[in-house]
């Protein structure tokens, strides 16, 4: 049975995570895709093509991506190379303290530049990427023409 895991499943956005797909056939060609929908309903995606090792595993931190959104060994590539489906959009987190970005990771059989709703992933999981740690207090700053936010640790 194929499975994709991300450790830890919930983390701060600037912390590294370990992505791994297991249960594949040796040398099986697969596409790993990361996707998220931001607060405005815009979708962002990244994909990378891999060939499983002799044990049927794919680990972006050890195995080189053969193409897609990036190439080579890049443990966080699926999260760093998220691109908008619509032109001229930027990935910006508006509500940094209230909710995380929910990133869906999926494994597809073969190299897929485009996936349709009919394409069923071999495995999938969801990851939380938070922008503010637990207990951090956000204080709005308005002084003259200065606008911003001060984040105070617990």
């Amino acid at each position: 049975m194929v499975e994709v895991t991300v450790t830890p499943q919930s983390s701060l956005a600037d912390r590294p995570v370990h992505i791994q797909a297991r249960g594949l056939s040796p040398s099986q060609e697969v596409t790993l895709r990361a996707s998220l929908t931001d607060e405005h309903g815009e979708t962002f995606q990244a994909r990378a093509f891999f060939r499983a090792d002799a044990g049927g595993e794919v680990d972006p931190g050890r195995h080189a991506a053969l193409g897609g959104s990036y190439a080579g060994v890049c443990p966080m590539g699926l999260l760093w190379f998220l691109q908008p489906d619509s032109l001229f959009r930027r990935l910006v987190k508006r509500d940094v303290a209230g909710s995380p970005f929910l990133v869906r990771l999926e494994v597809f059989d073969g190299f897929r530049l485009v996936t349709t709703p009919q394409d069923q992933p071999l495995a999938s999981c969801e990851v939380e990427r938070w922008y503010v740690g637990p207990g951090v207090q956000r204080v709005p700053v308005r002084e003259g023409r200065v606008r911003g936010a001060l984040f105070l640790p617990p």
Side-chain angles (χ1 to χ4, degrees):
M1 184 172 112
V2 178
E3 71 172 336
V4 61
T5 58
V6 179
T7 310
Q9 195 122 19
S10 180
S11 65
L12 291 173
D14 64 345
R15 298 286 191 251
V17 293
H18 182 243
I19 300 169
Q20 189 173 32
R22 290 186 223 116
L24 302 163
S25 301
S27 299
Q28 182 177 355
E29 294 175 341
V30 294
T31 300
L32 266 61
R33 180 179 73 173
S35 61
L36 69 81
T37 302
D38 72 2
E39 291 125 332
H40 296 291
E42 296 293 332
T43 303
F44 294 78
Q45 296 185 54
R47 68 187 71 239
F49 311 132
F50 292 93
R51 186 168 286 114
D53 64 14
E57 293 186 5
V58 168
D59 180 346
R62 292 186 302 123
H63 303 118
L66 304 174
S69 301
Y70 69 95
V73 176
C74 188
M76 298 291 292
L78 288 167
L79 300 175
W80 288 345
F81 291 98
L82 288 164
Q83 294 295 314
D85 285 353
S86 304
L87 294 176
F88 310 114
R89 301 291 184 199
R90 286 186 7 199
L91 183 58
V92 176
K93 183 71 171 129
R94 301 279 182 216
D95 179 18
V96 295
S99 64
F101 269 142
L102 297 175
V103 182
R104 182 170 180 79
L105 278 118
E106 299 169 302
V107 180
F108 292 93
D109 187 32
F111 296 159
R112 302 198 182 216
L113 285 172
V114 178
T115 51
T116 64
Q118 292 81 15
D119 294 327
Q120 292 298 311
L122 299 173
S124 65
C125 72
E126 202 165 70
V127 180
E128 291 181 350
R129 301 292 281 170
W130 289 89
Y131 282 77
V132 175
V136 173
Q137 181 184 5
R138 181 181 188 275
V139 180
V141 174
R142 296 180 143 247
E143 186 66 38
R145 293 179 14 204
V146 175
R147 301 288 182 265
L150 172 66
F151 292 89
L152 297 171

